[in-house]
């Protein structure tokens, strides 16, 4: 059991760099929860309080973030391994910003917040790993915010999705009307429609009823960036 636990922890960036002795001590002192979810099951809901670190060990999840004020949502598919919203564990707002569901059968490992203070915080490498993850996410968010509504239609469309994404690649679905998206990026509906139909002809997006499906966001980003 310890060997399996040890191998699982080594998959996670928070524990990389710790010695085998340190990991063995952590396994003995920290209470880990291993959970399984079937395809389609939701295990975290947007708005719920974040009370634990949650790691996706294997499989795929669907992440959906809803903007109720502007009536749209963005869904994306994320592969394991992945740590779910470590930035929501501390601070003024400790609520999850998205809903997480199993796209395939998955295994989740969770650690209660109390063990972060009582055990894990005693290890310098863990503290550094945790701060690096939080800093990287904060820096990436700042870079995305800087040019949100600046530039060409291509740039504004890319940045709109980037700003709301957790990953820079993969499958994404934007549930929104053409008119609402045009208003949010300060463009005309005609220009936006022309762009999206061109992208669909190149098989970079699929236009559905009140939705834009992007099979590989990295390919879309590459094409739009080269077209500037």
């Amino acid at each position: 059991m310890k060997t399996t636990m040890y191998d699982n922890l080594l998959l996670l960036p928070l524990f990389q760099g710790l010695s085998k002795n340190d990991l063995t001590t952590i396994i003995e002192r920290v209470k880990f929860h291993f959970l399984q979810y079937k395809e389609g099951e939701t295990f975290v809901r947007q708005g719920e309080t974040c009370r634990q670190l949650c790691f996706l060990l294997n499989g795929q999840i669907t992440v959906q973030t809803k903007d109720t004020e502007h009536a749209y949502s963005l869904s994306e598919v994320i592969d394991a391994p992945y740590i779910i919203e470590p930035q929501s564990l501390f601070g003024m707002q400790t609520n999850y910003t998205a809903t997480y569901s199993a796209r395939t059968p998955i295994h989740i490992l969770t650690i209660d917040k109390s063990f972060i203070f009582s055990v894990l915080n005693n290890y310098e490498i863990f503290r550094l790993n945790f701060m690096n993850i939080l800093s990287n996410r904060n820096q990436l968010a700042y870079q995305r915010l800087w040019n949100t509504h600046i530039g060409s239609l291509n740039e504004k469309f890319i940045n709109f999705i980037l700003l709301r994404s957790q990953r820079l690649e993969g499958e994404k679905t934007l549930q929104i009307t053409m008119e609402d998206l045009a208003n949010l990026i300060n463009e005309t509906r005609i220009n936006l429609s022309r762009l999206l139909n061109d992208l669909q002809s190149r098989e970079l997006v699929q236009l559905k009823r009140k939705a834009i499906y992007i099979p590989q966001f990295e390919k879309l980003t590459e094409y739009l960036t080269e077209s500037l």
Side-chain angles (χ1 to χ4, degrees):
M1 180 64 181
K2 280 188 179 180
T3 302
T4 302
M5 182 80 77
Y6 179 78
D7 293 338
N8 283 329
L9 293 184
L10 286 178
L11 293 173
L12 308 174
L14 280 174
F15 297 96
Q16 290 177 3
L18 287 167
S19 69
K20 188 167 185 178
N21 287 337
D22 286 340
L23 286 173
T24 300
T25 302
I26 288 171
I27 290 170
E28 291 172 348
R29 297 182 60 192
V30 174
K31 189 173 183 179
F32 296 94
H33 301 277
F34 286 90
L35 306 170
Q36 298 182 38
Y37 292 93
K38 299 177 182 178
E39 178 182 344
E41 285 189 295
T42 296
F43 57 95
V44 167
R45 296 187 183 278
Q46 184 173 339
E48 290 180 343
T49 302
C50 178
R51 297 187 175 92
Q52 58 193 7
L53 281 176
C54 187
F55 304 92
L56 174 66
L57 297 177
N58 55 48
Q60 287 184 327
I61 57 174
T62 300
V63 184
Q64 183 183 55
T65 306
K66 291 185 178 181
D67 185 325
T68 54
E69 181 180 353
H70 300 100
Y72 71 87
S73 69
L74 178 70
S75 299
E76 51 188 323
V77 176
I78 292 180
D79 297 315
Y82 189 69
I83 179 172
I84 295 169
E85 294 194 33
Q87 71 275 12
S88 296
L89 197 61
F90 303 101
M92 295 181 64
Q93 301 293 331
T94 57
N95 298 324
Y96 288 106
T97 60
T99 295
Y100 297 79
S101 304
R103 191 169 192 255
T104 65
I106 60 172
H107 289 83
I108 296 287
L109 180 152
T110 66
I111 306 173
D112 290 342
K113 186 176 181 178
S114 60
F115 288 108
I116 305 299
F117 294 109
S118 63
V119 180
L120 297 176
N121 197 48
N122 296 323
Y123 296 89
E124 183 180 6
I125 291 178
F126 178 88
R127 295 197 305 269
L128 288 173
N129 288 340
F130 193 59
M131 285 190 290
N132 281 332
I133 290 173
L134 296 180
S135 296
N136 289 339
R137 294 199 179 193
N138 181 64
Q139 291 162 8
L140 183 60
Y142 179 80
Q143 291 171 1
R144 294 174 183 176
L145 282 169
W146 188 252
N147 295 315
T148 305
H149 295 293
I150 299 175
S152 66
L153 171 57
N154 288 11
E155 292 172 305
K156 288 190 283 188
F157 177 58
I158 292 173
N159 287 333
F160 182 86
I161 300 174
L162 274 178
L163 184 61
R164 292 153 179 83
S165 297
Q166 296 195 28
R167 286 263 172 107
L168 304 182
E169 67 283 331
E171 181 181 341
K172 304 182 191 295
T173 302
L174 180 62
Q175 295 277 353
I176 195 170
T177 66
M178 194 88 70
E179 183 176 357
D180 286 343
L181 179 57
N183 289 334
L184 287 169
I185 64 174
N186 195 29
E187 277 288 342
T188 66
R189 187 184 185 284
I190 293 175
N191 286 342
L192 178 60
S193 177
R194 187 180 296 119
L195 171 65
L196 292 176
N197 279 286
D198 177 63
L199 295 175
Q200 180 168 244
S201 70
R202 300 175 188 275
E203 299 184 346
L204 294 170
V205 305
Q206 295 176 23
L207 301 181
K208 301 181 180 181
R209 187 175 182 273
K210 296 183 180 181
I212 302 167
Y213 171 71
I214 305 170
Q216 292 179 286
F217 185 65
E218 62 273 26
K219 287 190 176 182
L220 173 65
T221 303
E222 180 182 1
Y223 170 75
L224 290 178
T225 301
E226 292 176 349
S227 302
L228 295 176

